Amino acid sequence: MRVIVVLLLICALSTGSLTVQGYEDDPRSKLPADLDYQPPTVLITVLVRNKGHVLPYFLSYLEKLDYPKERISLWLRCDHSTDNSIEVLQQWLEHSSDLYHSVNYDLDNVTSSYRNESSPNDWPVSRFKHVIELKEQAMAYAQSIWADFIFFLDVDVLLTAPQALKSLTSLRLPIVAPMLLSEGLYSNFWCGMTSDYYYQRTDEYKEIYYVKKEGVFEVPMVHTAVLVDMNYKGARYLTFDRKKLMEMQKYHSEWSQAEQKHVRPYNGPVDDIIVFAISANSSGIPLFVSNQIPFGYVLQPLETSDTIDQDIQQIVNIKANMVHDLGAVPPVLDYLQPYLYKPEKTKLTLDHIYMINLERRPERRQKMENLFAELALDVEHFSAVDGKALNADIVKDMGITILPGYEDPYHHRAMTMGEIGCFLSHYKIWQKIVELEQKEVLILEDDIRFEPYLRSNAVRVLEQARSVVEYDLIYFGRKRLKENEARVDRADNLVHAGYSYWTLGYVISLQGARKLLAAKPLEKLIPVDEFLPVMFDRHPNQTWSSAFKDRNLIAFSAAPLLLYPTHYTGETGYISDTEDSVEVTAAAESVVGGARLKSDREQIFANDENILEKELQLRESSSNSLPNVAGSIAKNHQEL
């Protein structure tokens, strides 16, 4: 009788229909507030090879997951490594393994390479076989310990969101992956798959990646970080093994016909992630990706010819993105700090680098200093002239005169105090360059983010400029307003700068600084990003240009650009200390309809609307951001 009562109780609780004498409300509301159901158990599967440079971050962020560690087991394998991966893992096991329910590990320091392997990043058949066997073993182990979930997690994944595992398990989906960001557009999901089972570009991919739409989305492929609900009956159909998949499809052909589902017999590559996706798709098990929270980051797979240095540089790029997205790089466990790569500081072969920052914006300065630390840039803070501290009398006493007839070309307003303060900040640096005779200087503002591989790309641009032509100014970041900019001869990454806005970042030579000061701009002041195009004679307003006699500044721009604004008009976190400030004259003209701020992401001229799209395409092609259809993810197309 007791058993029957318990079964009835469980059934009633599951349907919400239980009524108990003396209780009008749901009896679950009477449970003690300090007690709750245990979260699901999770087995995390980790395979390691030559990842000693990534492991300190991976393990630190894994340990900081906001999930009860007594509900987590780990299945850890490391083999075929020639670096210090095993040493790092041993340190972690010694310090942290007792925190978890259990850790099943095997560290093989004997085997160092696979048969027919051309490099550590090559994927011969023997390597596929081994990885597939390990993943199949992990799945069987999860079943043997009655794990509620198994989380296949590559070491290249940096889960910086502490709530990541809670978020994923709470979805209670059969297969779901956290959407991860990279240094480019690469991620751990596909929105399209070709007929021969490889990556297919789709518009939806970017919408999900850039979180233009937020939620949980069904997709044909997830990989690298995949959570599987082991309590879902369909999990028994999942496999990484091509042979098992083909046998399963043959065995279940009658079931497919009965369900009126067409399952195409698999004839694709021996590839663990593709076979897993097809085993799910052909069994009617949906795969999902979630971008509900910013889960973290992922390194792109290395190509066969790549070295570990490429992976290390990817980490630098991703850490720079962390600074932009999170404010700082989440700290690494103390005992793993000695294993971190720490590059030497550099000035990018320049004499000096200045970063302009208002004293009342300490949060921007801190964020930029965090960024410089990760990129190992040697940068001097330069205290900006604050437009809020200026007034008409101060401006007059400084001998500053606004250019007669100047008005903002899009707002039809007078110059603002913020614009004056901005100009004076740059002006004072030009003076310092001449005073100290600094031959080449990079001037940065404090609201920028760098493109990947800044150090090597900046040096390449500078070397090209020095080797082919004399220059006064090189834009590293700008808002390009005119198309048809000619390439500089014998310089693949330089163009002759046309009319441009923004002074986010630019290199100025000693001779260039002298030319700017010789123009005596304070006597006929216009905003600094209008003044520079005037000085290299590319400004469309001939009336303004005619006020400056010698417009012989030699100006180029990096192509593609090396840095961009952190925020654009209307975006969360956008602040402008130039546009949102007091005008010099009290009687300002009203803003005409449709006027755009200089910080707007859109372009100014209607005839040049394709400029931004071309710039974005240039950025994509330069960063190799999307997966190689026959490479990166699918690795190869060999068959056993």
Side-chain angles (χ1 to χ4, degrees), residues 60 115 136 142 145 189 203 210 230 252 296 308 357 405 429 451 519 525 551 557 624:
S60 296
R115 181 166 51 88
E136 291 288 314
I145 65 171
F189 71 99
D203 292 336
Y210 288 124
M230 297 300 292
H252 290 288
I308 295 298
N357 166 258
I429 293 180
E451 285 292 277
L525 196 66
R551 302 186 298 276
S557 175
N624 296 318

Side-chain angles (χ1 to χ4, degrees), residues 462-495:
L462 291 167
E463 288 178 347
Q464 289 179 12
R466 294 164 183 154
S467 64
V468 301
V469 69
E470 179 184 1
Y471 80 88
D472 295 322
L473 181 144
I474 303 174
Y475 284 106
F476 275 11
R478 61 176 177 145
K479 182 175 184 176
R480 183 172 57 171
L481 299 179
K482 285 291 186 183
E483 209 174 351
N484 303 321
E485 294 180 331
R487 289 273 174 179
V488 176
D489 291 341
R490 294 176 289 116
D492 294 335
N493 301 108
L494 281 173
V495 296

Side-chain angles (χ1 to χ4, degrees), residues 413-479:
R413 58 155 172 78
M415 199 167 173
T416 68
M417 290 298 178
E419 288 172 327
I420 294 177
C422 180
F423 194 108
L424 289 173
S425 302
H426 288 267
Y427 185 86
K428 287 178 178 293
I429 293 180
W430 303 336
Q431 288 181 315
K432 193 170 184 179
I433 290 170
V434 172
E435 178 186 348
L436 300 178
E437 295 191 345
Q438 295 171 329
K439 294 182 179 179
E440 295 174 297
V441 170
L442 174 60
I443 301 175
L444 300 172
E445 295 183 349
D446 66 355
D447 53 352
I448 58 174
R449 69 179 300 166
F450 294 113
E451 285 292 277
Y453 307 97
L454 170 79
R455 288 169 55 127
S456 58
N457 288 340
V459 171
R460 180 169 62 253
V461 167
L462 291 167
E463 288 178 347
Q464 289 179 12
R466 294 164 183 154
S467 64
V468 301
V469 69
E470 179 184 1
Y471 80 88
D472 295 322
L473 181 144
I474 303 174
Y475 284 106
F476 275 11
R478 61 176 177 145
K479 182 175 184 176

Side-chain angles (χ1 to χ4, degrees), residues 125 145 227 232 237 254 275 318 335 386 569 583-584 593 601 627:
V125 172
I145 65 171
L227 185 75
Y232 184 71
Y237 298 116
E254 294 181 2
V275 169
I318 286 177
Y335 64 87
D386 194 341
T569 306
E583 296 176 15
V584 176
R601 184 189 297 270

Side-chain angles (χ1 to χ4, degrees), residues 352-356 372 378-382 432 438:
H352 211 66
I353 305 175
Y354 294 102
M355 186 267 292
I356 300 172
F372 299 147
D378 187 356
V379 181
E380 178 183 342
H381 169 257
F382 189 88
K432 193 170 184 179
Q438 295 171 329

Side-chain angles (χ1 to χ4, degrees), residues 119-140:
S119 79
N121 302 319
D122 191 15
W123 278 86
V125 172
S126 56
R127 183 174 183 181
F128 271 108
K129 279 185 174 181
H130 183 62
V131 169
I132 289 168
E133 288 172 1
L134 289 178
K135 290 187 174 182
E136 291 288 314
Q137 291 173 20
M139 186 79 83

